[in-house]
Amino acid sequence: MALPVLSSSAVKFRRVLAHFPQELSLAFAYGSGVFRQAGASAEHGETNMLDFVFAADDAVTWHMMNLLKNRSHYSFLKFFGPKKISTIQRYGAGIYYNTLVPCNGRMIKYGVISTDALIEDLFHWKTLYVAGRLQKPVKILAQNENSRLQAALVSNLKSAVTAAFLMLPESFSEEDLYMQIAGLSYSGDFRMIIGEDKSKVQNIVKPNIAHFQKLYSTILQDCPQVVYKHHLGRLEASIDKSPEGQFTQLMALPKTLQQKITALVNPPGKNRDVEEILLQVAHDPDCGFVVHQGISGIVRSSSIVQSAKTILTAGAKKSVTYSLKKLYKMTKGGLKKTP
């Protein structure tokens, strides 16, 4: 199964891509500059910062080439060279961001991640940072023939559906499912407390149901617990909430999430294997909450380190500017809901 490439003109995004070294295994654009969010005007989308992620097989070489082309994009770290930049990239979520970069008349932010780190996150949810971005609609701009990366992209979507099923009630709507999936990578993210609009997940999902359908329709059609009535644009789900059903789903979760759940449930000093602990969780009426706590644990640690890294990768001035923009968006979202 190939990851769907969302249609509509990507010319302006490809023009941005042309400014960078082309040795990429994957490049995509995401966020409010690409997909309209609820409460934002069409003009607002045209002025929002454009967000990109670039995956490179050899991050050191990519940064070396990018320093030759776009040295001004980097903070003071450019003086330490591509090896040091790549070392810093590995901390936190394994991604290095250059932010508030003027390009083709727009402000852009782009993150660079190694292909191996991306594949590990997609398969195992090591940080759920870039994997979380790819659980929501994105605009794929470039992708090479790496079959392992392709398998990892699909695996990430299947894992998102499995985790959502565990946290949702027995029956739910299609919108409920996409809300749950879109919220996975925000669970435990301290920026949702300060720095992000509290209704961000709802704002992402409601105007983009068709994009979520395109992303997940094949997986849902192949899922025995779901009757997916694509011609009616809705699904009917009846999830097996028996201990046996939940155990099967828990065993299908990514490795890092299984480990987080195990650490939450297993008392210190007890050495029980993962399968035994997950069987115990499957019998717990609060199984969905335990899964949510496990996801929050992954996101919390990676988001804190990644945000702290911004001071180095963006520099102090850009860090303050970027943070103030986020706070402005958060307060604006809060004011809209005030009667």
Side-chain angles (χ1 to χ4, degrees):
M1 174 193 146
L3 193 73
V5 177
L6 295 173
S7 59
S8 80
S9 172
V11 173
K12 65 180 174 184
F13 305 117
R14 294 190 199 283
R15 282 181 184 148
V16 169
L17 198 60
H19 288 265
F20 297 93
Q22 298 300 296
E23 290 70 15
L24 297 170
S25 57
L26 182 71
F28 64 89
Y30 68 95
S32 57
V34 184
F35 298 98
R36 191 175 72 81
Q37 294 188 7
S41 65
E43 295 79 25
H44 186 61
E46 288 300 315
T47 57
N48 268 7
M49 185 158 64
L50 296 175
D51 297 309
F52 298 87
V53 168
F54 304 147
D57 291 347
D58 184 343
V60 177
T61 301
W62 196 91
H63 282 297
M64 181 180 72
M65 294 168 71
N66 198 42
L67 281 163
L68 292 171
K69 289 184 72 138
N70 301 303
R71 191 172 178 81
S72 64
H73 294 183
Y74 290 82
S75 69
F76 68 93
L77 291 174
K78 59 176 167 271
F79 299 112
F80 294 92
K83 281 191 179 177
K84 181 59 72 176
I85 287 170
S86 298
T87 299
I88 290 166
Q89 179 179 305
R90 287 196 288 270
Y91 288 97
I95 188 165
Y96 185 104
Y97 271 105
N98 283 326
T99 189
L100 295 174
V101 173
C103 185
N104 288 1
R106 292 286 292 270
M107 278 293 179
I108 72 164
K109 177 180 79 174
Y110 64 95
V112 184
I113 188 170
S114 77
T115 306
D116 286 344
L118 174 58
I119 287 171
E120 185 174 22
D121 197 28
L122 291 167
F123 271 131
H124 305 307
W125 288 7
K126 186 180 177 184
T127 69
L128 245 182
Y129 201 87
V130 181
R133 303 280 182 278
L134 285 159
Q135 289 163 0
K136 297 177 271 291
V138 303
K139 199 173 289 293
I140 303 287
L141 304 175
Q143 187 175 352
N144 68 10
E145 297 298 312
N146 186 328
S147 59
R148 191 158 173 266
L149 175 56
Q150 186 61 54
L153 287 163
V154 175
S155 174
N156 179 46
L157 298 181
K158 288 180 177 176
S159 296
V161 170
T162 302
F165 282 175
L166 282 160
M167 291 188 286
L168 285 163
E170 191 174 347
S171 299
F172 50 85
S173 71
E174 187 171 13
E175 187 177 304
D176 291 337
L177 174 62
Y178 299 144
M179 290 279 285
Q180 193 69 250
I181 288 172
L184 293 175
S185 61
Y186 295 115
S187 304
D189 190 337
F190 80 98
R191 292 170 302 173
M192 293 303 288
I193 301 167
I194 179 164
E196 289 287 6
D197 183 350
K198 299 298 182 293
S199 52
K200 187 175 181 73
V201 173
Q202 184 175 306
N203 292 348
I204 289 169
V205 174
K206 283 189 176 294
N208 295 298
I209 292 287
H211 292 311
F212 277 93
Q213 286 175 330
K214 187 161 189 176
L215 196 55
Y216 286 98
S217 62
T218 303
I219 289 167
L220 294 173
Q221 283 164 3
D222 293 342
C223 181
Q225 295 175 309
V226 170
V227 178
Y228 192 65
K229 298 184 175 179
H230 189 66
H231 61 292
L232 297 175
R234 72 168 192 265
L235 60 80
E236 291 176 4
S238 182
I239 304 304
D240 183 359
K241 289 292 178 180
S242 70
E244 296 76 19
Q246 294 196 139
F247 178 66
T248 301
Q249 290 173 338
L250 288 165
M251 289 298 291
L253 291 174
K255 182 176 71 178
T256 306
L257 180 51
Q258 289 182 341
Q259 291 167 346
K260 284 284 183 185
I261 292 168
T262 301
L264 283 168
V265 176
N266 200 31
K270 273 202 169 189
N271 289 321
R272 296 186 296 162
D273 63 32
V274 172
E275 193 169 328
E276 184 186 347
I277 292 160
L278 293 181
L279 185 60
Q280 177 190 327
V281 174
H283 283 80
D284 190 333
D286 293 325
C287 174
F289 178 72
V290 176
V291 172
H292 180 267
Q293 290 295 99
I295 292 169
S296 296
I298 296 170
V299 174
R300 188 179 301 111
S301 54
S302 65
S303 68
I304 288 170
V305 179
Q306 189 64 37
S307 293
K309 234 168 70 172
T310 304
I311 299 166
L312 292 175
T313 60
K317 186 180 175 184
K318 280 188 177 181
S319 294
V320 170
T321 305
Y322 183 66
S323 299
L324 288 172
K325 281 176 181 283
K326 284 284 188 184
L327 283 168
Y328 173 69
K329 281 174 77 175
M330 180 189 75
T331 51
K332 205 167 68 164
L335 286 169
K336 274 179 192 162
K337 282 185 280 185
T338 306

